[in-house]
Amino acid sequence: MPPETNPVPAFDVVVVGAGPAGSAAALEAARAGLSVALLERGPYPGAKNVYGGVVYGRILDELVPGWWEHMPVQRWVTRRSTMLLTDSQALTVDFRTEDWGRPPYNGATAFRAELDGWLASLAEAAGAVLVPSTTVTGLLRDAAGRVTGVRTDRPGGDLTARIVIACDGVNSFLAKEAGLFAQVPGKQAEHTSLGVKETLALPRKVIEERFGLTGRHGQDIEVLGCTGDIPGGGFLYTNLESVSVGVVLSVVGLAASGERPEAVLAGLKEHPAIAPLLRGAELKEYSAHLIPEGGYDSMPELVTDGMLVAGDAAAMCLAAGIWLEGVNYALGAGMYAGRSAAVAIAAGDTSRAGLTGYRRMLEESFVLADHRRLRRVPGLVFSERVQQSYPGLLCDVAQGFFTVDNPRPKPGLRRLLSGAARRRGVRLRHLLSDAFTGTRSFG
Amino acid sequence: MTQSSPHAHRAGVSFEDRMATVDFRVAERAHIVVDTSVCLSCELRSCVHACPAALFVPTDDGGILFNYEQCFECGTCYQVCDAPGALSWTYPEGGHGVAFRQG
Ligand SMILES: Cc1cc2nc3c(=O)[nH]c(=O)nc-3n(C[C@H](O)[C@H](O)[C@H](O)COP(=O)(O)OP(=O)(O)OC[C@H]3O[C@@H](n4cnc5c(N)ncnc54)[C@H](O)[C@@H]3O)c2cc1C
Ligand code: SF4
Ligand code: SF4
């Protein structure tokens, strides 16, 4: 590789975006002794960010040992439920365990402004310079096309760097500008969902009574069948003195539906299984954000000369209706991006070739391993049958199973299933093939 | 489904009250600009119902009235708009725009 002909860069690494991916990248790069700038367009980290509300802990064990002593947590998730809804029915699979209520804790609810602020403060403590209120407007490149820094909207705001790590979230204009999405099939809207969310205040005591919780324990509910004709899903998560309720809607489906997003959310809130949980709650904040939902097959190139991309900017979010996991993937990817940057700079090769260790680290970790294994899941969960037919099918089977109408003889499960399948227009053949895809992905 | 007007009273909270729960640090420069002459020949007008902040309002002459001040910066409008040149979309200048407190 030719020696660097550019003048000495201002920083070893410039990280764009102080979300979980950016702060993890800045933290690791700073820990490796590099000079790091962490740029964020919001007035504070988290100002622009929205999520459902749950962070899973295992990647934090590696990034921030003993994290649970320091992270700004609302509640520890000890109860996880999946709810299938039709207009008048609800079938819930409800799991709770005391194990998740003590260290090392499985998951926690937290607010983004607090979570993102905490993560950025860790990067700062390791030596990174956080620069908020600064929007990156483009990439700087040398004559050979290699990325050499970023342009910002500050006066004289060009910042040069040996490596730029783009963690600029779902709309990533930097990954697009670098041409990393050139090979991804279809339009971005086809791989994207809109999440709309309400944070609703309820007294702590009321939350604990309604959700059957004590102390700092919390419940997460994921919902399928609550988005009408629009492929998507919903969620209801408990905080200390509020709950977060939202729906996630396929952008293409939303566009075609003529429906308003907050009206779909209002429908979920009015469902007979949800409304009693929210009664009397007061709206504290309405919010919306896009989610990259396409999974593995919609991911861009992750590396180019002088640049890495991590987190939602690289579509590393696992979000298909009932799933909403992105923070842990963003943290993992950011951590590996920071490490790869350090390796490349130490080796004096920040070209694409010098940065390929990043992809390998991701492939060997849960980040890409999960995404590769679950690559069929976004399509499956958004399929017509899973969206429109299965919630009703399963609710009908449950209703038949639990209905007591003796002295008539009890129908067998097989008859309930075939009757419900006929009513909901499901073919046994499809049910089997979807079950096969499902078990192959999860099994 | 019925097409509801963006400012209708829904689910107990008016849309104005809903938006009033969100903090905005409004920038002087509009970060999204709509070329309403392109909108005149748009049939789908998905932006009108898809924008979670209900910022696109159809006008009597077939154009679109757009106000950037209460924008979530989500990106939905540029993803659903199929008409080239209708939207120029950027982020607000650093420190401005939406500032979520709960997120
Ligand atoms: C409604 C919803 C529910 C979700 N629920 C969950 C959940 O419960 N659990 C979970 O784990 N995940 C969830 N996710 C996914 C999760 O939010 C994301 O995967 C995660 O935030 C990705 O982190 P990131 O750091 O890659 O990107 P982001 O968190 O989006 O951070 C990107 C950062 O870059 C900044 N930025 C962007 N462009 C620029 C620029 N040009 N200049 C300067 N700064 C810039 C932004 O302001 C932002 O701070 C949900 C998402 C949504 C929308
Ligand atoms: S902004 Fe796009 S989608 Fe909206 S009316 Fe104009 S052309 Fe149509
Ligand atoms: S970015 Fe989102 S909130 Fe802003 S105008 Fe577009 S759709 Fe509406």
Side-chain angles (χ1 to χ4, degrees):
Chain A
M1 122 126 201
E4 281 181 24
T5 47
N6 302 305
V8 178
F11 287 93
D12 291 323
V13 177
V14 163
V15 180
V16 183
S23 287
L27 174 60
E28 279 297 294
R31 274 180 181 158
L34 304 179
S35 63
V36 181
L38 175 58
L39 310 184
E40 167 57 47
R41 66 188 189 87
Y44 48 86
K48 305 293 182 184
N49 301 340
V50 179
Y51 79 148
V54 195
V55 184
Y56 298 97
R58 289 301 62 80
I59 185 62
L60 281 166
D61 295 346
E62 184 173 349
L63 196 65
V64 193
W67 56 274
W68 55 81
E69 313 243 335
H70 312 285
M71 193 172 109
V73 163
Q74 288 285 312
R75 286 180 185 275
W76 302 108
V77 176
T78 55
R79 188 171 177 199
R80 280 194 78 170
S81 313
T82 296
M83 208 182 242
L84 304 179
L85 299 184
T86 70
D87 286 348
S88 62
Q89 298 161 300
L91 173 64
T92 309
V93 178
D94 182 18
F95 178 73
R96 58 193 303 161
T97 171
E98 291 297 299
D99 290 345
W100 292 349
R102 51 180 174 254
Y105 298 105
N106 185 59
T109 53
F111 294 128
R112 285 303 292 272
E114 294 179 3
L115 176 74
D116 292 14
W118 175 68
L119 289 166
S121 76
L122 299 176
E124 282 188 283
V129 184
L130 172 68
V131 190
S133 297
T134 303
T135 301
V136 170
T137 54
L139 295 169
L140 303 175
R141 304 202 213 204
D142 64 12
R146 163 162 60 192
V147 174
T148 56
V150 295
R151 178 145 290 167
T152 78
D153 65 350
R154 295 271 182 123
D158 285 2
L159 266 186
T160 53
R162 291 196 159 82
I163 295 177
V164 171
I165 306 183
C167 302
D168 51 339
V170 57
N171 288 308
S172 189
F173 293 104
L174 296 186
K176 285 176 197 158
E177 187 182 330
L180 299 177
F181 277 95
Q183 304 300 321
V184 177
K187 288 201 285 185
Q188 194 184 3
E190 293 163 22
H191 311 297
T192 310
S193 290
L194 172 66
V196 288
K197 167 175 148 178
E198 290 180 3
T199 309
L200 299 166
L202 278 173
R204 180 173 179 170
K205 221 171 129 260
V206 172
I207 292 176
E208 281 154 20
E209 280 166 15
R210 285 186 192 170
F211 292 87
L213 304 166
T214 49
R216 293 298 280 269
H217 286 203
Q219 182 179 15
D220 291 355
I221 306 173
E222 270 97 41
V223 190
L224 208 56
C226 59
T227 50
D229 293 336
I230 308 170
F235 57 85
L236 172 56
Y237 300 149
T238 54
N239 304 311
L240 206 51
E241 293 187 313
S242 63
V243 297
S244 304
V245 59
V247 290
V248 170
L249 306 168
S250 130
V251 166
V252 171
L254 174 67
S257 72
E259 288 243 48
R260 288 211 44 81
E262 81 282 358
V264 180
L265 175 53
L268 172 63
K269 288 170 62 186
E270 283 158 18
H271 191 279
I274 300 288
L277 299 171
L278 305 178
R279 199 181 316 124
E282 187 203 337
L283 181 62
K284 283 188 75 181
E285 189 172 71
Y286 170 57
S287 53
H289 202 276
L290 291 180
I291 311 170
E293 295 246 350
Y296 196 77
D297 295 329
S298 69
M299 283 182 192
E301 296 274 323
L302 303 177
V303 177
T304 186
D305 292 322
M307 178 168 147
L308 300 166
V309 52
D312 275 13
M316 287 170 182
C317 187
L318 195 61
I322 52 170
W323 251 291
L324 277 172
E325 265 183 70
V327 170
N328 44 350
Y329 293 100
L331 289 170
M335 180 178 82
Y336 293 120
R339 284 184 195 169
S340 311
V343 170
I345 287 172
D349 182 2
T350 58
S351 72
R352 191 192 172 93
L355 292 169
T356 47
Y358 176 49
R359 173 129 207 147
R360 202 182 53 246
M361 287 186 210
L362 291 172
E363 298 270 3
E364 285 164 7
S365 77
F366 73 104
V367 179
L368 284 186
D370 280 5
H371 277 290
R372 203 172 336 100
R373 189 163 58 88
L374 299 173
R375 69 198 293 173
R376 306 264 171 261
V377 167
L380 177 67
V381 174
F382 272 7
S383 73
E384 178 81 22
R385 290 190 293 278
V386 171
Q387 288 286 323
Q388 308 294 343
S389 310
Y390 292 169
L393 175 87
L394 293 166
C395 284
D396 283 359
V397 170
Q399 182 157 336
F401 194 71
F402 292 126
T403 301
V404 177
D405 57 357
N406 48 31
R408 276 178 31 195
K410 293 209 183 303
L413 207 49
R414 188 191 307 248
R415 218 183 84 213
L416 286 173
L417 185 64
S418 60
R422 201 172 337 102
R423 259 194 317 283
R424 299 285 177 176
V426 177
R427 297 233 172 121
L428 202 57
R429 179 159 54 85
H430 290 150
L431 189 64
L432 282 174
S433 89
D434 289 343
F436 180 68
T437 311
T439 31
R440 229 182 13 177
S441 298
F442 302 117
Chain B
M1 276 296 147
T2 50
Q3 178 99 28
S4 37
S5 105
H7 299 292
H9 199 78
R10 267 178 236 107
V13 188
S14 76
F15 204 79
E16 281 86 352
D17 288 348
R18 170 180 293 279
M19 293 307 292
T21 63
V22 194
D23 283 353
F24 294 95
R25 303 180 182 186
V26 179
E28 262 170 42
R29 178 186 68 91
H31 61 286
I32 300 174
V33 179
V34 180
D35 182 346
T36 188
S37 68
V38 179
C39 302
L40 283 170
S41 53
C42 173
E43 283 171 18
L44 283 173
R45 306 190 151 225
S46 305
C47 61
V48 173
H49 71 268
C51 168
L55 299 178
F56 294 80
V57 180
T59 56
D60 288 342
D61 63 358
I64 289 282
L65 199 67
F66 175 77
N67 186 329
Y68 72 97
E69 291 180 3
Q70 292 194 312
C71 171
F72 290 139
E73 301 150 38
C74 65
T76 306
C77 53
Y78 87 79
Q79 292 209 3
V80 300
C81 177
D82 278 328
L87 285 179
S88 74
W89 203 100
T90 56
Y91 287 129
E93 56 215 60
H96 292 80
V98 71
F100 292 118
R101 287 164 289 110
Q102 316 277 318

